[in-house]
Structures are given as structure tokens and as C-alpha cells.
Amino acid sequence: MEENKKRDGFGSKLGVIAAAAGSAIGLGNICRFPCELGENGGAAFLLVYLAVVTILGIPLMLSELVIGRRSQSNSVGAFKKLAPKSKWPIVGYVGVLCALLIFATYSVIAGWTLEYIYKAATNSFHGENLTLIEHEFSTFHNTGWLNVLLQAIFIFLTGFVVFKGVQNGIEKYSKILMPLLLVILIVLAIRSLTLPGAKEGLAFLFHPDFSKITGDTLVDAMGQGFFSLSLGMGALITYGSYVKKDDNLTSTAFSVMISDTLVAVLAGLVIFPAAFTFGVKPQAGMELVFDTLPMLFNQMAGGYWFCLIFFILLAIAGLTSTIALLEVVVAYLSEELHLSRKWATVIASAATLFIGIFASLSLKDGTPLTIAGLSFNDFLDFTTANIMLPLGGLLIVIFLGWRLGKTEFFDEVTNEGALKVPLKTAVFFIIRYLAPLAILVIFISGLVN
Ligand code: TRP
């Protein structure tokens, strides 16, 4: 019964793209990407990022979708089915753990978006200057338990949707809300590009200084790319298992990659011209979003509404991502441990909140919750994005290229021969040789650095 309900999966082609793009497009594009770009010197990072998502992102995404649809299983069950009596399911287990850890830190920032919806609705930025807005942000994100409460609300909302099932909630809303987010971002980018700092902002984004590319840039770009596309942890294995047998996996992967990258670049086009205009440093981290954007809205006609709609959409973009994160854990708990969907959701949400509380409280200034010189939150973020996702991605392409093999891959991407997929041989070559090598080299160069 449970099985049948899940295997109904996504209703339409567009629904699959909307849900997978919904998982990909999120705080990672609008908050994390500009931060990484700012810290890594701008345009040089953008170039490396684009190379990573094209050359490695698409093949890895396709690998995950193939593993998921072929096995019709959650991320652990998939390896059990396709490679019985082997150690491969460990990749799935690590992915489930990774989903929990990412959700724990992700929900901290997602909670902030709720506070900013409230601030926007009460028009509290109106007429404020940068100093005041900065002060508000730093006092707010230092409040501790208020953040935990907002985070708990966000986790609860996620749990509510996941418990209801994905097809009627998320698939339906993603189809409307994701395009709306895109439109708003385009309008904001246009406004931002007419500010006095536009030239500087554009130069920062598009004039690469190649001397800035180091091993770290590569590691960060790969970490960001995998994070942003929701790769390396079995999320798209899980979603892939809900895709109909006659859908085209290759074109799905391309659409998701293109829309995700578009949103990330657009976020950069909104944020950097504004940041240079108002004097927010590119290295400012989260302040780039939570200080610069309210300033931008203050300069716009209809700023009140743009501000409100923007933060609502940001929360929704976050929600379509956290749903996918939670779904990874819930699919595992319900299929492998035979828990009901309800209990699986409750347990996974409670575990997330437990870890999340430490992540949230570790962001207070002077916190004792640190590991290796980083706050617990940043430590989790770094370990998941820069270590677990690349390793997961590496093992997944090796699994597909060497264990599952060419014939099964071709069968699955061509829908047993019904579809023509012109580049399939090249993609398989990348999966088997180039991707493992590239991921390994980037990963090791990062460790050495
Ligand atoms: N891609 C999401 C974002 O950019 C974050 C994320 C990483 C994610 N891994 C995931 C979302 C797995 C869903 C599933 O915001």
C-alpha cells in the first residue's frame, strides 16, 4: 500500500522538473552562492563553478536519477537492490546522514527568512540606513532561542508537507512558485543594475582574476555546485525513484541544471551591484543578503511589496529544498525500517531539530560551540558540502560507471531504447573516467591546501 502510494510518484514531466528544480533551487542559490563567490574573489569563482556544474554536475545528476529510477527505491534500498550483498549501501547510509546534517544547518537560515517576512510585513526597514539594518541583523542572529523557535517552526512546516506526501503539495506549488521567484529576481536584477555600483558589481562578477584560482577555489566551487544541485547524497536517487518510466531523464537533468544556475547567477546580479553601491563588502557572508537586499528595497518604488514577496518566495524556495532533504530520510526510514510515514517524519524532524539547536546556538558571538576553530554550524556546513558531498558524488559515479555499467545506464536513459539520447556515450565516458578522476583530484588538492 505504502509502496504503491509512493510509486505513483510525480504526476507529470513538468512536475518532475519543478520538484527536482525545487529541491535544487533554494537558499543555496540566493544566500550561499553569493557568499562563496564573495569569499572566493568573484568572477574567477563563477567560471570554475560553471565548469563544475556542466562537466561534473550533469553526469552525476544523471547517475543519481538512473540509480533511483532503475531501483525504484530510497537511497539505501537502491544500492541493496542493484548491488546485493555488497558494501555499496554504505553510500546510501552516509547520504541519509548527510541529509540530516544539511537540514540541521539549512533550517537555521530558513528560520531567519521567517523573521524577515515579519520584518517586511511590518515595514520595519523603511527609511533605515545600512548601519541600522546591519545592527538589527547582528542583534537578531545573536538572539539564540528566538532563532531556535523559528527554526523549529520551519522544520515543522517541512514535516507537515512531507507527511502529506509530495505529489499533491510540492509538485503543484513548485510549478507556480518557482517561475514567480524567477520573475521577481529578474525585476530585482534590473533595479540593482541601474544603481551607481552596477559597474563595480558587474566587474566583480564577470572580470576574472585568474591568479585567484587556487585549490581552495576548486574545492569550494565543487562543494557549492554539488550542494546547489542537491547532488552527492542520494536526494536525486530518491526523487529519481518517483519519476515515471517514460520520462526523459537526460532532459530533466539539463533543465534542472540550467534553471538552478540561472537563479544563482541572477542572485549575483541582484546582490553585487547593490552591495557595491551601499558599501557592503563582498566577503560579508550572510550580511550580503540580509543587509544589502533591504537596502535595495528601500531604493525601489513599491519596495514594501517587493521586500515582502521576496522573503516569502525565499522561504518557499527553502521549503521545497528542505522537503527533499527530509524526504531522503523519511523514504529510508519508511521503506527500510518499515516505519509508518507519520513516525518516520516525526523521528526525522526531531533528530534534525536536536542537531539544529546546536547549529543555531553556535552562531552567537563568543559561542563555546566550536570545532576546529569553526562554529559548530560552519563546521557542519563545511564538512557536508566540501567533504561528504564530493565523496558521495565520487562513489556514486564509480558505482554507475564500474558496477552498474554501460548497458544498464543506456537502457535507463533511453527508456529501454524508446528515446534517442545523442550524447549518451560521451556522458558515460565522463561518468566512468573523467568525473571520478576530476572529483578525486579536486578533493585531494583541497586537502593538501
Ligand atoms: N540544493 C539546495 C539549495 O541549493 C540545498 C540542498 C543540498 C538540498 N542538498 C540537498 C536540497 C538535497 C534538497 C535535497 O538550497
Side-chain angles (χ1 to χ4, degrees):
M1 177 65 200
E2 185 73 8
E3 276 267 317
N4 288 337
K5 210 164 71 198
K6 286 175 74 58
R7 294 301 160 230
D8 280 347
F10 298 123
S12 65
K13 257 182 210 155
L14 200 68
V16 174
I17 296 174
S23 113
I25 297 171
L27 306 177
N29 305 60
I30 298 163
C31 303
R32 198 177 190 280
F33 178 76
C35 292
E36 289 287 329
L37 198 97
E39 278 161 11
N40 283 292
F45 181 84
L46 178 63
L47 264 186
V48 178
Y49 179 81
L50 291 177
V52 167
V53 291
T54 318
I55 301 170
L56 300 179
I58 297 259
L60 176 53
M61 194 185 303
L62 203 52
S63 304
E64 292 201 24
L65 291 172
V66 162
I67 293 171
R69 194 172 68 173
R70 191 106 194 129
S71 66
Q72 296 289 299
S73 241
N74 65 86
S75 56
V76 173
F79 290 102
K80 286 190 186 163
K81 271 195 194 164
L82 299 177
K85 300 208 171 64
S86 72
K87 296 228 163 22
W88 283 105
I90 293 175
V91 180
Y93 288 115
V94 175
V96 171
L97 176 68
C98 194
L100 264 181
L101 297 180
I102 291 181
F103 190 12
T105 58
Y106 203 88
S107 54
V108 176
I109 318 289
W112 295 353
T113 65
L114 299 181
E115 167 77 9
Y116 272 67
I117 291 175
Y118 173 76
K119 282 182 190 280
T122 52
N123 208 7
S124 81
F125 304 115
H126 184 72
E128 289 190 344
N129 59 19
L130 185 67
T131 322
L132 255 175
I133 289 179
E134 273 175 352
H135 176 72
E136 263 183 49
F137 179 64
S138 58
T139 40
F140 159 69
H141 91 244
N142 259 305
T143 46
W145 289 101
L146 171 63
N147 292 308
V148 172
L149 177 70
L150 294 168
Q151 176 184 29
I153 295 174
F154 205 92
I155 293 174
F156 179 82
L157 284 174
T158 310
F160 182 77
V161 180
V162 169
F163 166 63
K164 288 259 165 206
V166 177
Q167 57 272 52
N168 284 325
I170 266 323
E171 180 179 343
K172 203 160 71 194
Y173 291 115
S174 305
K175 275 194 269 193
I176 309 164
L177 295 167
M178 288 295 139
L180 190 60
L181 180 70
L182 198 67
V183 173
I184 294 262
L185 277 176
I186 291 173
V187 175
L188 292 181
I190 293 172
R191 180 63 189 99
S192 193
L193 287 169
T194 50
L195 289 169
K199 229 176 152 187
E200 242 180 309
L202 283 176
F204 183 73
L205 261 176
F206 296 120
H207 283 235
D209 172 358
F210 291 104
S211 69
K212 292 234 167 81
I213 300 183
T214 63
D216 278 350
T217 325
L218 284 168
V219 182
D220 283 355
M222 186 164 72
Q224 174 62 25
F226 286 8
F227 182 89
S228 190
L229 294 171
S230 307
L231 298 174
M233 45 165 292
L236 290 177
I237 295 180
T238 311
Y239 268 23
S241 75
Y242 304 146
V243 178
K244 287 198 181 129
K245 282 287 183 192
D246 60 356
D247 263 359
N248 187 335
L249 294 181
T250 317
S251 68
T252 304
F254 268 99
S255 313
V256 172
M257 188 284 259
I258 288 169
S259 47
D260 187 70
T261 307
L262 200 65
V263 172
V265 173
L266 266 175
L269 283 176
V270 175
I271 285 171
F272 289 105
F276 280 101
T277 307
F278 306 129
V280 180
K281 294 233 157 41
Q283 304 80 1
M286 284 300 164
E287 281 81 355
L288 275 176
V289 177
F290 291 93
D291 295 345
T292 313
L293 290 179
M295 284 297 289
L296 176 64
F297 297 125
N298 274 343
Q299 311 280 315
M300 291 175 72
Y304 172 84
W305 290 106
F306 275 109
C307 187
L308 184 60
I309 297 172
F310 174 81
F311 281 112
I312 292 176
L313 288 173
L314 188 59
I316 289 167
L319 189 63
T320 52
S321 297
T322 52
I323 284 161
L325 285 164
L326 187 57
E327 181 64 23
V328 173
V329 187
V330 168
Y332 160 69
L333 290 177
S334 60
E335 289 182 5
E336 299 303 310
L337 302 187
H338 307 290
L339 294 178
S340 69
R341 193 163 182 87
K342 181 167 130 202
W343 278 107
T345 309
V346 170
I347 291 171
S349 305
T352 305
L353 184 60
F354 180 75
I355 307 167
I357 289 176
F358 293 98
S360 182
L361 294 179
S362 77
L363 287 176
K364 283 179 88 161
D365 295 339
T367 174
L369 299 167
T370 58
I371 301 180
L374 293 172
S375 69
F376 179 59
N377 184 79
D378 293 355
F379 174 79
L380 280 188
D381 181 58
F382 179 84
T383 332
T384 48
N386 288 8
I387 297 173
M388 292 174 89
L389 298 186
L391 281 183
L394 174 66
L395 292 170
I396 289 170
V397 284
I398 292 179
F399 179 79
L400 199 112
W402 297 88
R403 170 83 199 219
L404 201 62
K406 194 172 180 171
T407 317
E408 295 220 30
F409 176 72
F410 282 2
D411 280 352
E412 200 58 41
V413 289
T414 61
N415 298 350
E416 314 294 332
L419 286 176
K420 268 219 173 91
V421 181
L423 286 173
K424 62 180 187 299
T425 312
V427 174
F428 186 74
F429 178 84
I430 296 182
I431 291 174
R432 190 169 155 106
Y433 300 104
L434 188 69
L437 203 69
I439 298 174
L440 202 65
V441 169
I442 298 176
F443 184 71
I444 291 176
S445 90
L447 289 186
V448 173
N449 261 288

